[in-house]
Amino acid sequence: MNENYYAILMAGGVGSRFWPVSTQDFPKQFHDMLGTGDTLIQKTFQRLSRFIPKENIYILTNERYNNLVLEQLPEVTQKQVVLEPAMRNTAPCILYASMKIQKENPNAVMIVAPSDHWIEDELTFSKNVRQAFEFCAKDDALVTLGIQPTFPNTGYGYIEYDKKSDTTIKPVSQFREKPDLNTAKEFLTQGNFLWNAGIFMWSVKSVIKAFQSNQPELYQLFETGIGVYNTSEEGVFIKENYPKAENISVDYAIMEKSNNVFVIAAEFDWNDLGTWGSLYDKLEKDNDNNAVVNARTLVDEASGNMIRTKTNKIVVLDGIEDYIIVDKDEVLLIFPKSKEQDIKITLQKVKDQFGEQYG
């Protein structure tokens, strides 16, 4: 294991499109969404610890999830859990964690990875990340992993890379927002566009330099805490100063503004597990093309459904196609897969009508 290899595992999101399983008190990264026996954060930690020392994996999360992290990842110490006292998007927390890591090891190279993605081919994943690490250790570069598009998806941002490049690690021309369908089709036709998976690799020197250049106010805010990072006084400083940080994503803050950005086209299958439909795509199906987690089913002319219940609950379906059916405690969700993006809106309506405790 290379002692200069580090990871920041992003685990602060709520995953509201996975309601009613994912809630503010218990978000999706802490659930066994795939029915494998491991939660998503456990699977991600295991994947990273194949090539990164366990003690060098930092978990970035909200204060309220501290105990969940320590329960589910018993190998992790409290010093590895970087707590946000307020929700401020990805740039402030990545800068904060990077400064902590730089103080500990100025030669660190690191990956920033979401805690709730699906990656099956873990050996190829580690190969691609190591390629990026070797590149970042030598060059002042910000590297991202792009995913080869399999269809014109309008739900992801895209990365356009230099068509003329014949190297594995290609210069990025620009980042593109989530497109409409025709634009997404055009991207695929051009052939030099990748899905933006939100997975980044860089040296701590390069990422902090990028913040210093592109976000001087944000950098100055966290730079004033250098003296207390990794000490007992860090918590007091962060509680007072973190809420002052701008609410901004790392894409807007540095990636889209920097001219030393590169991309590796991932050689592994990937899914962001952002919705019940994306989970359905990755699960094994029964003879009627239903994806079933935990339940026992009796079906008649029912196909294409995503079904999840408490363990061994019997679900009887007749004449239902392409629905999300999720049973959890006091909530039963029966929702068309075609409208899955609206679950977020429905959740707010439920909270308004029945109370915040249901979200």
Side-chain angles (χ1 to χ4, degrees):
M1 290 266 180
N2 189 324
E3 63 181 19
N4 291 334
Y5 286 3
Y6 282 74
I8 295 176
L9 209 163
M10 307 289 282
V14 176
S16 52
R17 288 189 180 88
F18 272 107
W19 183 80
V21 168
S22 183
T23 63
Q24 282 197 326
D25 288 335
F26 209 109
K28 69 169 179 173
Q29 59 268 30
F30 301 109
H31 288 277
D32 176 11
M33 299 301 298
L34 295 155
T36 61
D38 289 314
T39 65
L40 294 178
I41 194 172
Q42 287 170 335
K43 286 190 80 66
T44 306
F45 186 87
Q46 290 160 14
R47 185 184 311 130
L48 292 170
S49 64
R50 280 174 172 266
F51 60 99
I52 295 173
K54 287 183 178 179
E55 64 273 18
N56 289 359
I57 301 175
Y58 284 69
I59 318 299
L60 245 172
T61 193
N62 192 273
E63 279 182 339
R64 69 197 298 178
Y65 308 136
N66 183 55
N67 290 341
L68 276 172
V69 169
L70 294 172
E71 283 166 21
Q72 295 203 1
L73 302 174
E75 311 98 313
V76 162
T77 62
Q78 183 65 67
K79 91 173 187 71
Q80 292 168 254
V81 188
V82 183
L83 299 173
E84 306 165 80
M87 301 287 265
R88 287 293 181 274
N89 215 316
T90 53
C93 57
I94 288 171
L95 175 57
Y96 167 35
S98 299
M99 285 187 153
K100 281 172 62 65
I101 290 169
Q102 186 184 44
K103 190 174 178 186
E104 181 181 294
N105 182 351
N107 297 314
V109 289
M110 64 194 198
I111 177 172
V112 177
S115 60
D116 52 5
H117 287 183
W118 176 93
I119 293 169
E120 190 168 321
D121 186 352
E122 299 193 342
L123 284 174
T124 304
F125 168 78
S126 63
K127 179 190 121 181
N128 286 161
V129 176
R130 284 170 191 266
Q131 284 174 319
F133 277 179
E134 287 167 16
F135 185 71
C136 294
K138 300 194 305 281
D139 295 274
D140 177 20
L142 309 176
V143 179
T144 185
L145 269 175
I147 309 299
Q148 291 285 2
T150 50
F151 67 100
N153 195 317
T154 58
Y156 299 141
Y158 284 70
I159 301 162
E160 181 183 356
Y161 62 82
D162 182 356
K163 249 184 178 171
K164 299 189 291 291
S165 172
D166 57 0
T167 57
T168 303
I169 302 177
K170 300 177 185 299
V172 169
S173 303
Q174 61 179 323
F175 289 85
R176 302 291 287 266
E177 296 295 317
K178 294 174 184 176
D180 59 29
L181 185 59
N182 286 336
T183 308
K185 286 177 178 174
E186 194 180 305
F187 288 170
L188 265 65
T189 303
Q190 287 187 44
N192 61 323
F193 284 81
L194 302 167
W195 288 338
N196 186 353
I199 301 171
F200 308 105
M201 286 87 38
W202 42 52
S203 68
V204 285
K205 289 174 190 162
S206 290
V207 70
I208 290 173
K209 181 179 166 188
F211 274 106
Q212 201 170 0
S213 303
N214 298 303
Q215 300 295 328
E217 285 184 25
L218 193 63
Y219 170 78
Q220 284 160 17
L221 175 67
F222 286 98
E223 199 267 341
T224 57
I226 285 287
V228 299
Y229 293 150
N230 307 334
T231 75
S232 58
E233 297 160 53
E234 179 182 329
V236 175
F237 171 82
I238 287 299
K239 259 200 182 339
E240 184 183 335
N241 290 281
Y242 197 91
K244 299 174 188 173
E246 185 183 352
N247 189 346
I248 185 171
S249 74
V250 74
D251 296 80
Y252 284 124
I254 60 170
M255 298 303 281
E256 294 180 13
K257 291 180 167 65
S258 300
N259 57 10
N260 59 334
V261 180
F262 296 81
V263 65
I264 293 180
E267 298 171 75
F268 50 85
D269 282 343
W270 167 91
N271 191 300
D272 72 339
L273 294 184
T275 63
W276 285 112
S278 61
L279 179 62
Y280 169 87
D281 290 341
K282 286 302 162 197
L283 291 169
E284 287 186 18
K285 315 297 188 294
D286 64 15
N287 293 335
D288 297 286
N289 216 27
N290 298 302
V292 181
V293 179
N294 297 336
R296 292 178 288 166
T297 58
L298 179 64
V299 302
D300 189 10
E301 295 184 11
S303 64
N305 300 296
M306 173 69 236
I307 305 156
R308 191 185 199 276
T309 70
K310 286 190 170 179
T311 305
N312 281 334
K313 189 157 194 173
I314 294 171
V315 179
V316 181
L317 295 181
D318 191 331
I320 294 180
E321 290 189 5
D322 298 325
Y323 266 75
I324 299 160
I325 300 154
V326 182
D327 182 39
K328 180 176 179 280
D329 302 330
E330 295 176 65
V331 178
L332 172 63
L333 177 75
I334 304 170
F335 213 84
K337 271 198 323 206
S338 60
K339 293 176 66 179
E340 65 176 3
Q341 296 293 340
D342 295 342
I343 288 177
K344 211 172 181 178
I345 299 163
T346 301
L347 166 57
Q348 190 54 55
K349 290 178 182 174
V350 169
K351 290 199 283 191
D352 291 344
Q353 184 164 340
F354 301 107
E356 289 288 327
Q357 69 269 31
Y358 294 103

